[in-house]
PDB file of all heavy atoms in Angstrom:
ATOM      1  N   PRO A 775       8.273  47.424 -72.911  1.00 83.00           N
ATOM      2  CA  PRO A 775       8.229  48.850 -72.483  1.00 83.00           C
ATOM      3  C   PRO A 775       8.964  49.753 -73.489  1.00 83.00           C
ATOM      4  O   PRO A 775       8.775  50.935 -73.510  1.00 83.00           O
ATOM      5  CB  PRO A 775       8.943  48.815 -71.123  1.00 83.00           C
ATOM      6  CG  PRO A 775       9.596  47.488 -70.946  1.00 83.00           C
ATOM      7  CD  PRO A 775       8.981  46.584 -71.966  1.00 83.00           C
ATOM      8  N   ASP A 776       9.843  49.133 -74.332  1.00 87.00           N
ATOM      9  CA  ASP A 776      10.575  49.956 -75.305  1.00 87.00           C
ATOM     10  C   ASP A 776       9.696  50.335 -76.540  1.00 87.00           C
ATOM     11  O   ASP A 776      10.107  51.021 -77.400  1.00 87.00           O
ATOM     12  CB  ASP A 776      11.840  49.293 -75.723  1.00 87.00           C
ATOM     13  CG  ASP A 776      11.613  47.932 -76.338  1.00 87.00           C
ATOM     14  OD1 ASP A 776      10.535  47.576 -76.668  1.00 87.00           O
ATOM     15  OD2 ASP A 776      12.571  47.171 -76.453  1.00 87.00           O
ATOM     16  N   GLY A 777       8.563  49.695 -76.662  1.00 87.00           N
ATOM     17  CA  GLY A 777       7.641  49.952 -77.758  1.00 87.00           C
ATOM     18  C   GLY A 777       7.855  49.178 -79.000  1.00 87.00           C
ATOM     19  O   GLY A 777       7.207  49.361 -79.999  1.00 87.00           O
ATOM     20  N   MET A 778       8.789  48.214 -78.996  1.00 90.00           N
ATOM     21  CA  MET A 778       9.080  47.407 -80.201  1.00 90.00           C
ATOM     22  C   MET A 778       8.221  46.137 -80.228  1.00 90.00           C
ATOM     23  O   MET A 778       8.122  45.453 -79.206  1.00 90.00           O
ATOM     24  CB  MET A 778      10.580  47.025 -80.260  1.00 90.00           C
ATOM     25  CG  MET A 778      11.515  48.213 -80.433  1.00 90.00           C
ATOM     26  SD  MET A 778      13.263  47.640 -80.460  1.00 90.00           S
ATOM     27  CE  MET A 778      13.388  47.062 -82.143  1.00 90.00           C
ATOM     28  N   THR A 779       7.673  45.859 -81.399  1.00 89.00           N
ATOM     29  CA  THR A 779       6.947  44.620 -81.547  1.00 89.00           C
ATOM     30  C   THR A 779       8.016  43.449 -81.707  1.00 89.00           C
ATOM     31  O   THR A 779       9.191  43.782 -81.950  1.00 89.00           O
ATOM     32  CB  THR A 779       6.099  44.622 -82.818  1.00 89.00           C
ATOM     33  OG1 THR A 779       6.926  44.771 -83.986  1.00 89.00           O
ATOM     34  CG2 THR A 779       5.115  45.807 -82.802  1.00 89.00           C
ATOM     35  N   VAL A 780       7.522  42.293 -81.725  1.00 90.00           N
ATOM     36  CA  VAL A 780       8.403  41.156 -81.829  1.00 90.00           C
ATOM     37  C   VAL A 780       9.087  41.158 -83.267  1.00 90.00           C
ATOM     38  O   VAL A 780      10.284  40.937 -83.359  1.00 90.00           O
ATOM     39  CB  VAL A 780       7.656  39.795 -81.680  1.00 90.00           C
ATOM     40  CG1 VAL A 780       8.480  38.583 -82.064  1.00 90.00           C
ATOM     41  CG2 VAL A 780       7.131  39.663 -80.202  1.00 90.00           C
ATOM     42  N   GLY A 781       8.266  41.453 -84.267  1.00 90.00           N
ATOM     43  CA  GLY A 781       8.824  41.569 -85.633  1.00 90.00           C
ATOM     44  C   GLY A 781       9.904  42.649 -85.722  1.00 90.00           C
ATOM     45  O   GLY A 781      10.944  42.446 -86.362  1.00 90.00           O
ATOM     46  N   GLU A 782       9.658  43.771 -85.124  1.00 92.00           N
ATOM     47  CA  GLU A 782      10.712  44.876 -85.116  1.00 92.00           C
ATOM     48  C   GLU A 782      11.931  44.432 -84.370  1.00 92.00           C
ATOM     49  O   GLU A 782      13.056  44.737 -84.830  1.00 92.00           O
ATOM     50  CB  GLU A 782      10.088  46.116 -84.443  1.00 92.00           C
ATOM     51  CG  GLU A 782       9.048  46.793 -85.325  1.00 92.00           C
ATOM     52  CD  GLU A 782       8.290  47.879 -84.566  1.00 92.00           C
ATOM     53  OE1 GLU A 782       8.247  47.879 -83.299  1.00 92.00           O
ATOM     54  OE2 GLU A 782       7.775  48.798 -85.232  1.00 92.00           O
ATOM     55  N   GLN A 783      11.747  43.704 -83.308  1.00 93.00           N
ATOM     56  CA  GLN A 783      12.916  43.255 -82.574  1.00 93.00           C
ATOM     57  C   GLN A 783      13.766  42.314 -83.425  1.00 93.00           C
ATOM     58  O   GLN A 783      14.966  42.389 -83.482  1.00 93.00           O
ATOM     59  CB  GLN A 783      12.542  42.590 -81.243  1.00 93.00           C
ATOM     60  CG  GLN A 783      11.997  43.526 -80.252  1.00 93.00           C
ATOM     61  CD  GLN A 783      11.531  42.841 -78.965  1.00 93.00           C
ATOM     62  OE1 GLN A 783      12.439  42.317 -78.253  1.00 93.00           O
ATOM     63  NE2 GLN A 783      10.283  42.794 -78.683  1.00 93.00           N
ATOM     64  N   LEU A 784      13.064  41.353 -84.027  1.00 95.00           N
ATOM     65  CA  LEU A 784      13.801  40.348 -84.823  1.00 95.00           C
ATOM     66  C   LEU A 784      14.533  41.054 -85.976  1.00 95.00           C
ATOM     67  O   LEU A 784      15.706  40.671 -86.316  1.00 95.00           O
ATOM     68  CB  LEU A 784      12.857  39.273 -85.363  1.00 95.00           C
ATOM     69  CG  LEU A 784      12.329  38.290 -84.287  1.00 95.00           C
ATOM     70  CD1 LEU A 784      11.222  37.467 -84.793  1.00 95.00           C
ATOM     71  CD2 LEU A 784      13.450  37.472 -83.796  1.00 95.00           C
ATOM     72  N   ALA A 785      13.895  42.012 -86.615  1.00 96.00           N
ATOM     73  CA  ALA A 785      14.569  42.697 -87.728  1.00 96.00           C
ATOM     74  C   ALA A 785      15.801  43.501 -87.230  1.00 96.00           C
ATOM     75  O   ALA A 785      16.890  43.522 -87.829  1.00 96.00           O
ATOM     76  CB  ALA A 785      13.542  43.721 -88.392  1.00 96.00           C
ATOM     77  N   ALA A 786      15.628  44.159 -86.107  1.00 96.00           N
ATOM     78  CA  ALA A 786      16.801  44.904 -85.493  1.00 96.00           C
ATOM     79  C   ALA A 786      17.884  43.991 -85.085  1.00 96.00           C
ATOM     80  O   ALA A 786      19.078  44.269 -85.258  1.00 96.00           O
ATOM     81  CB  ALA A 786      16.276  45.774 -84.325  1.00 96.00           C
ATOM     82  N   ILE A 787      17.587  42.818 -84.507  1.00 97.00           N
ATOM     83  CA  ILE A 787      18.554  41.865 -84.097  1.00 97.00           C
ATOM     84  C   ILE A 787      19.263  41.332 -85.319  1.00 97.00           C
ATOM     85  O   ILE A 787      20.534  41.228 -85.299  1.00 97.00           O
ATOM     86  CB  ILE A 787      17.849  40.685 -83.360  1.00 97.00           C
ATOM     87  CG1 ILE A 787      17.414  41.145 -81.990  1.00 97.00           C
ATOM     88  CG2 ILE A 787      18.760  39.457 -83.273  1.00 97.00           C
ATOM     89  CD1 ILE A 787      16.476  40.149 -81.252  1.00 97.00           C
ATOM     90  N   ALA A 788      18.551  41.039 -86.405  1.00 97.00           N
ATOM     91  CA  ALA A 788      19.239  40.512 -87.652  1.00 97.00           C
ATOM     92  C   ALA A 788      20.248  41.529 -88.113  1.00 97.00           C
ATOM     93  O   ALA A 788      21.390  41.181 -88.439  1.00 97.00           O
ATOM     94  CB  ALA A 788      18.220  40.207 -88.680  1.00 97.00           C
ATOM     95  N   ALA A 789      19.853  42.764 -88.184  1.00 97.00           N
ATOM     96  CA  ALA A 789      20.763  43.805 -88.725  1.00 97.00           C
ATOM     97  C   ALA A 789      22.005  43.946 -87.830  1.00 97.00           C
ATOM     98  O   ALA A 789      23.140  44.032 -88.302  1.00 97.00           O
ATOM     99  CB  ALA A 789      20.009  45.171 -88.816  1.00 97.00           C
ATOM    100  N   ARG A 790      21.770  43.984 -86.525  1.00 97.00           N
ATOM    101  CA  ARG A 790      22.905  44.152 -85.558  1.00 97.00           C
ATOM    102  C   ARG A 790      23.818  42.954 -85.608  1.00 97.00           C
ATOM    103  O   ARG A 790      25.049  43.088 -85.592  1.00 97.00           O
ATOM    104  CB  ARG A 790      22.328  44.360 -84.168  1.00 97.00           C
ATOM    105  CG  ARG A 790      23.366  44.671 -83.115  1.00 97.00           C
ATOM    106  CD  ARG A 790      23.928  46.075 -83.247  1.00 97.00           C
ATOM    107  NE  ARG A 790      24.706  46.394 -82.151  1.00 97.00           N
ATOM    108  CZ  ARG A 790      26.058  46.612 -82.144  1.00 97.00           C
ATOM    109  NH1 ARG A 790      26.686  46.595 -83.318  1.00 97.00           N
ATOM    110  NH2 ARG A 790      26.737  46.914 -81.092  1.00 97.00           N
ATOM    111  N   VAL A 791      23.230  41.775 -85.600  1.00 97.00           N
ATOM    112  CA  VAL A 791      24.090  40.521 -85.641  1.00 97.00           C
ATOM    113  C   VAL A 791      24.904  40.461 -86.911  1.00 97.00           C
ATOM    114  O   VAL A 791      26.071  40.026 -86.867  1.00 97.00           O
ATOM    115  CB  VAL A 791      23.231  39.264 -85.416  1.00 97.00           C
ATOM    116  CG1 VAL A 791      24.019  38.011 -85.682  1.00 97.00           C
ATOM    117  CG2 VAL A 791      22.711  39.269 -83.972  1.00 97.00           C
ATOM    118  N   HIS A 792      24.327  40.880 -88.036  1.00 97.00           N
ATOM    119  CA  HIS A 792      25.131  40.826 -89.255  1.00 97.00           C
ATOM    120  C   HIS A 792      26.383  41.767 -89.160  1.00 97.00           C
ATOM    121  O   HIS A 792      27.441  41.453 -89.574  1.00 97.00           O
ATOM    122  CB  HIS A 792      24.279  41.301 -90.503  1.00 97.00           C
ATOM    123  CG  HIS A 792      23.446  40.183 -91.019  1.00 97.00           C
ATOM    124  ND1 HIS A 792      22.136  40.043 -90.654  1.00 97.00           N
ATOM    125  CD2 HIS A 792      23.700  39.200 -91.870  1.00 97.00           C
ATOM    126  CE1 HIS A 792      21.654  38.944 -91.280  1.00 97.00           C
ATOM    127  NE2 HIS A 792      22.575  38.429 -92.028  1.00 97.00           N
ATOM    128  N   GLU A 793      26.144  42.926 -88.522  1.00 97.00           N
ATOM    129  CA  GLU A 793      27.331  43.837 -88.256  1.00 97.00           C
ATOM    130  C   GLU A 793      28.378  43.142 -87.375  1.00 97.00           C
ATOM    131  O   GLU A 793      29.607  43.213 -87.665  1.00 97.00           O
ATOM    132  CB  GLU A 793      26.834  45.081 -87.603  1.00 97.00           C
ATOM    133  CG  GLU A 793      26.010  46.006 -88.404  1.00 97.00           C
ATOM    134  CD  GLU A 793      25.412  47.158 -87.494  1.00 97.00           C
ATOM    135  OE1 GLU A 793      25.921  47.331 -86.348  1.00 97.00           O
ATOM    136  OE2 GLU A 793      24.514  47.853 -87.954  1.00 97.00           O
ATOM    137  N   LEU A 794      27.873  42.560 -86.229  1.00 97.00           N
ATOM    138  CA  LEU A 794      28.835  41.948 -85.345  1.00 97.00           C
ATOM    139  C   LEU A 794      29.546  40.767 -85.909  1.00 97.00           C
ATOM    140  O   LEU A 794      30.756  40.600 -85.675  1.00 97.00           O
ATOM    141  CB  LEU A 794      28.041  41.573 -84.075  1.00 97.00           C
ATOM    142  CG  LEU A 794      27.502  42.649 -83.217  1.00 97.00           C
ATOM    143  CD1 LEU A 794      26.564  42.148 -82.107  1.00 97.00           C
ATOM    144  CD2 LEU A 794      28.632  43.479 -82.595  1.00 97.00           C
ATOM    145  N   VAL A 795      28.855  39.926 -86.696  1.00 96.00           N
ATOM    146  CA  VAL A 795      29.494  38.792 -87.281  1.00 96.00           C
ATOM    147  C   VAL A 795      30.595  39.244 -88.264  1.00 96.00           C
ATOM    148  O   VAL A 795      31.652  38.578 -88.364  1.00 96.00           O
ATOM    149  CB  VAL A 795      28.472  37.795 -87.839  1.00 96.00           C
ATOM    150  CG1 VAL A 795      29.106  36.759 -88.734  1.00 96.00           C
ATOM    151  CG2 VAL A 795      27.626  37.159 -86.821  1.00 96.00           C
ATOM    152  N   ALA A 796      30.256  40.235 -89.058  1.00 96.00           N
ATOM    153  CA  ALA A 796      31.333  40.764 -89.983  1.00 96.00           C
ATOM    154  C   ALA A 796      32.534  41.258 -89.217  1.00 96.00           C
ATOM    155  O   ALA A 796      33.655  41.040 -89.648  1.00 96.00           O
ATOM    156  CB  ALA A 796      30.699  41.849 -90.822  1.00 96.00           C
ATOM    157  N   THR A 797      32.247  41.973 -88.134  1.00 96.00           N
ATOM    158  CA  THR A 797      33.374  42.455 -87.299  1.00 96.00           C
ATOM    159  C   THR A 797      34.205  41.296 -86.714  1.00 96.00           C
ATOM    160  O   THR A 797      35.479  41.332 -86.784  1.00 96.00           O
ATOM    161  CB  THR A 797      32.865  43.339 -86.143  1.00 96.00           C
ATOM    162  OG1 THR A 797      32.166  44.429 -86.675  1.00 96.00           O
ATOM    163  CG2 THR A 797      33.993  43.829 -85.242  1.00 96.00           C
ATOM    164  N   GLN A 798      33.507  40.281 -86.202  1.00 95.00           N
ATOM    165  CA  GLN A 798      34.276  39.123 -85.658  1.00 95.00           C
ATOM    166  C   GLN A 798      35.063  38.409 -86.673  1.00 95.00           C
ATOM    167  O   GLN A 798      36.205  38.008 -86.488  1.00 95.00           O
ATOM    168  CB  GLN A 798      33.298  38.165 -84.987  1.00 95.00           C
ATOM    169  CG  GLN A 798      34.108  37.134 -84.157  1.00 95.00           C
ATOM    170  CD  GLN A 798      33.498  35.745 -84.124  1.00 95.00           C
ATOM    171  OE1 GLN A 798      32.620  35.498 -84.871  1.00 95.00           O
ATOM    172  NE2 GLN A 798      33.930  34.941 -83.199  1.00 95.00           N
ATOM    173  N   SER A 799      34.463  38.273 -87.885  1.00 95.00           N
ATOM    174  CA  SER A 799      35.171  37.519 -88.992  1.00 95.00           C
ATOM    175  C   SER A 799      36.489  38.296 -89.342  1.00 95.00           C
ATOM    176  O   SER A 799      37.508  37.723 -89.486  1.00 95.00           O
ATOM    177  CB  SER A 799      34.231  37.431 -90.188  1.00 95.00           C
ATOM    178  OG  SER A 799      34.859  36.786 -91.263  1.00 95.00           O
ATOM    179  N   SER A 800      36.352  39.589 -89.468  1.00 94.00           N
ATOM    180  CA  SER A 800      37.477  40.418 -89.805  1.00 94.00           C
ATOM    181  C   SER A 800      38.586  40.330 -88.607  1.00 94.00           C
ATOM    182  O   SER A 800      39.781  40.184 -88.862  1.00 94.00           O
ATOM    183  CB  SER A 800      37.118  41.851 -89.995  1.00 94.00           C
ATOM    184  OG  SER A 800      38.166  42.675 -90.164  1.00 94.00           O
ATOM    185  N   SER A 801      38.085  40.432 -87.383  1.00 93.00           N
ATOM    186  CA  SER A 801      39.010  40.343 -86.273  1.00 93.00           C
ATOM    187  C   SER A 801      39.707  39.000 -86.222  1.00 93.00           C
ATOM    188  O   SER A 801      40.932  38.951 -85.986  1.00 93.00           O
ATOM    189  CB  SER A 801      38.133  40.509 -84.970  1.00 93.00           C
ATOM    190  OG  SER A 801      38.909  40.316 -83.834  1.00 93.00           O
ATOM    191  N   LEU A 802      38.979  37.939 -86.433  1.00 91.00           N
ATOM    192  CA  LEU A 802      39.615  36.541 -86.429  1.00 91.00           C
ATOM    193  C   LEU A 802      40.600  36.371 -87.541  1.00 91.00           C
ATOM    194  O   LEU A 802      41.612  35.814 -87.371  1.00 91.00           O
ATOM    195  CB  LEU A 802      38.454  35.526 -86.465  1.00 91.00           C
ATOM    196  CG  LEU A 802      38.852  34.148 -85.901  1.00 91.00           C
ATOM    197  CD1 LEU A 802      39.462  34.186 -84.488  1.00 91.00           C
ATOM    198  CD2 LEU A 802      37.611  33.296 -85.909  1.00 91.00           C
TER     199      LEU A 802
END
């Protein structure tokens, strides 16, 4: 319903997870 294709979702997930992992690494 959000209009995103599977490929768009995977690309957005990859970008967001890279941000989060960098934040967690710094935090740890």
